[in-house]
Amino acid sequence: MGTDQPLPGAAPSWQPTATRQALESRARQLDWVRGFFAQRGVLEVETPVLGQCGVTDVNIDSIGASPRPVAGWPHPKGWLQSSPEYHMKRLLAAGSGSIYQVSRVFRDGERGRRHNPEFSLLEWYRPGWDDEQLMGEVADLVCGWLKTPEPERVSYRQLVQQHGGVDPMTASIVELRQACYPLTGDPGMVDQLDRDSCLDLVMSFRVEPALGYDRPVFVTHYPASQAALARTSEEDGHPVAHRFELYVRGVELCNGYWELTDAGEQRRRFEADNARRRELGRPEMPLDQRLLAALESGLPECAGVALGLDRLLMLKCGVDDISEVLAFPAERS
């Protein structure tokens, strides 16, 4: 096994891109994950890979399973899931207790050194916990597997000020765009960016590459406009999200929340996502009415996190391209 590429004009290679050693490490990783949660009494579950709804999140493009209705499928369209989150929250609302899932998930337009359209995601939820408690468990799982020091916790605001040179909470849109001009060769494009798009650019090019080399780092207290499915509160007079991400050696591994449980607020956020999609000329997504009904019935107070297992394996194996830990990436699928 290896990463050899076919010569120009040759037949496409049938060989896997991951070595035998990488495949063995993936198997050990799954054993580690399952043993970790078994010791803590967290139930493993399975939920659909093909669902009735995708996600409204402007930063994620779901993959439709078919341009026409799927034979035997009772809905107008099916979507390959970008995360098991919605289905898992329905289980939580039904009284499942603490649960985790290792799932195959799909996202359109994502292919690169750390991205493949299909990838492995570990997602888990802890009723009765908040984001602070969940960060402790994420650290136990990740640092135990990678054998790294415990992560430090640093606010988003502090990191963007330190590495990006702007205050993400108080900077004007003009100041944010000025910070973005050196990051792209297209000033006209920068002038079209909104506040969060500018912050994403600064985060991607200035902040993320500097994180997690001395020790892993949790980024916390994101701007409330980037809350997604997290609760919000105020810090120093500014609204912030109870959201965290973990970085190790410049690699983002996970995204976690103290989960929003208010069905009305969740519906408003879904609708705001679709309004932004319309502004960007992107297709609107149907709202997941079953998730909203589950929230209305009573989602327990909980914290949840999604962690990329392929990226975690890349760090363990010391490789720089996701193809080196996948048997068959998109090009050879």
Side-chain angles (χ1 to χ4, degrees), residues 10-33:
S13 177
W14 57 267
Q15 294 180 329
T17 54
T19 63
R20 169 69 187 228
Q21 290 76 17
L23 298 180
E24 290 174 347
S25 188
R26 181 179 290 276
R28 288 193 294 271
Q29 183 189 68
L30 290 173
D31 284 345
W32 168 265
V33 166

Side-chain angles (χ1 to χ4, degrees), residues 133-153:
Q133 291 169 292
L134 187 57
M135 277 189 272
E137 187 162 67
V138 172
D140 289 344
L141 186 146
V142 170
C143 298
W145 170 247
L146 295 178
K147 302 194 183 308
T148 65
E150 286 291 301
E152 60 180 331
R153 303 183 186 189

Side-chain angles (χ1 to χ4, degrees), residues 98-217:
S98 294
I99 53 176
Y100 81 96
Q101 181 169 186
V102 175
S103 57
R104 304 294 291 177
V105 296
F106 304 81
R107 297 186 185 182
D108 198 1
E110 297 201 5
R111 184 67 181 104
R113 192 163 55 88
R114 295 175 183 168
H115 297 86
N116 193 63
E118 177 184 0
F119 59 100
S120 294
L121 194 68
L122 167 64
E123 192 151 332
W124 77 96
Y125 292 86
R126 286 295 214 159
W129 288 25
D130 62 15
D131 48 326
E132 296 288 335
Q133 291 169 292
L134 187 57
M135 277 189 272
E137 187 162 67
V138 172
D140 289 344
L141 186 146
V142 170
C143 298
W145 170 247
L146 295 178
K147 302 194 183 308
T148 65
E150 286 291 301
E152 60 180 331
R153 303 183 186 189
V154 187
S155 75
Y156 177 98
R157 185 181 191 181
Q158 179 180 336
L159 290 169
V160 173
Q161 287 177 308
Q162 177 182 349
H163 299 287
V166 291
D167 187 330
M169 302 302 188
T170 63
S172 68
I173 186 61
V174 172
E175 292 171 323
L176 290 175
R177 287 172 179 163
Q178 287 175 341
C180 290
Y181 287 137
L183 307 180
T184 173
D186 187 354
M189 181 273 286
V190 171
D191 287 337
Q192 302 303 311
L193 297 179
D194 63 11
R195 186 177 194 84
D196 281 321
S197 297
C198 287
L199 289 173
D200 286 345
L201 203 60
V202 172
M203 189 72 179
S204 296
F205 286 92
R206 289 284 189 248
V207 181
E208 290 181 359
L211 298 181
Y213 286 92
D214 294 331
R215 57 190 291 194
V217 58

Side-chain angles (χ1 to χ4, degrees), residues 214-282:
D214 294 331
R215 57 190 291 194
V217 58
F218 281 116
V219 182
T220 67
H221 298 89
Y222 281 71
S225 58
Q226 299 181 23
L229 295 147
R231 295 168 181 251
T232 60
S233 62
E234 281 208 357
E235 183 179 76
D236 298 330
H238 299 284
V240 295
H242 287 273
R243 170 188 172 191
F244 64 85
E245 293 186 335
L246 177 63
Y247 286 85
V248 180
R249 298 199 290 274
V251 177
E252 177 207 335
L253 281 180
C254 72
N255 196 6
Y257 308 117
W258 187 11
E259 300 291 345
L260 180 67
T261 59
D262 183 324
E265 174 60 21
Q266 186 62 77
R267 183 181 293 276
R268 286 190 288 275
R269 293 191 192 181
F270 283 161
E271 291 171 348
D273 284 346
N274 271 334
R276 182 59 180 153
R277 283 180 167 272
R278 288 193 297 273
E279 291 175 6
L280 296 172
R282 298 171 67 179

